[in-house]
């Protein structure tokens, strides 16, 4: 039936989401503090997660755009923050590793 297919899809989604967080605690995407470096090398932000989600849905962010979600992080290319299968601005970003804090 249609209902059971829907239930199966939901279960698969839950399992795949759990799989993404198997390396540690499941953390949500940071709600504030998003910054990027524009083409003129000026730092823009900080912006909210909602703003970043909207701009991403409009295709504003190139894969090589330097970005970070915390002022203590280095800027890294957008595609490096959200490598496949991470979902930009939904999954927790792959922040650059630092010895003085948890990844």
């Amino acid at each position: 039936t249609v209902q059971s297919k829907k239930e199966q899809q939901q279960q698969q989604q839950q399992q795949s989401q759990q799989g993404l967080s198997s390396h540690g605690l499941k953390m949500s995407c940071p709600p504030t503090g998003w910054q990027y470096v524009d083409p003129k090398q000026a730092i823009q932000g900080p912006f909210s997660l909602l703003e970043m989600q909207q701009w991403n849905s409009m295709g504003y962010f190139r894969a090589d755009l330097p970005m970070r979600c915390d002022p203590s992080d280095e800027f890294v290319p957008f595609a490096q923050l959200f490598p496949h299968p991470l979902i930009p601005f939904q999954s927790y970003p792959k922040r650059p590793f630092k010895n003085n804090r948890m990844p």
Side-chain angles (χ1 to χ4, degrees), residues 23 27-31 34 49 67-70 73 76 78 80-83 86-96 101 103:
H23 63 275
M27 295 186 279
S28 58
C29 210
W34 289 92
L49 180 60
M67 191 177 287
R68 66 184 179 189
C69 62
D70 187 281
D73 289 355
V76 294
F78 173 55
Q80 204 173 307
L81 264 184
F82 296 105
L86 299 185
I87 302 164
F89 308 110
Q90 290 182 35
S91 303
Y92 190 79
K94 187 174 183 180
R95 293 169 65 181
R101 69 160 173 77

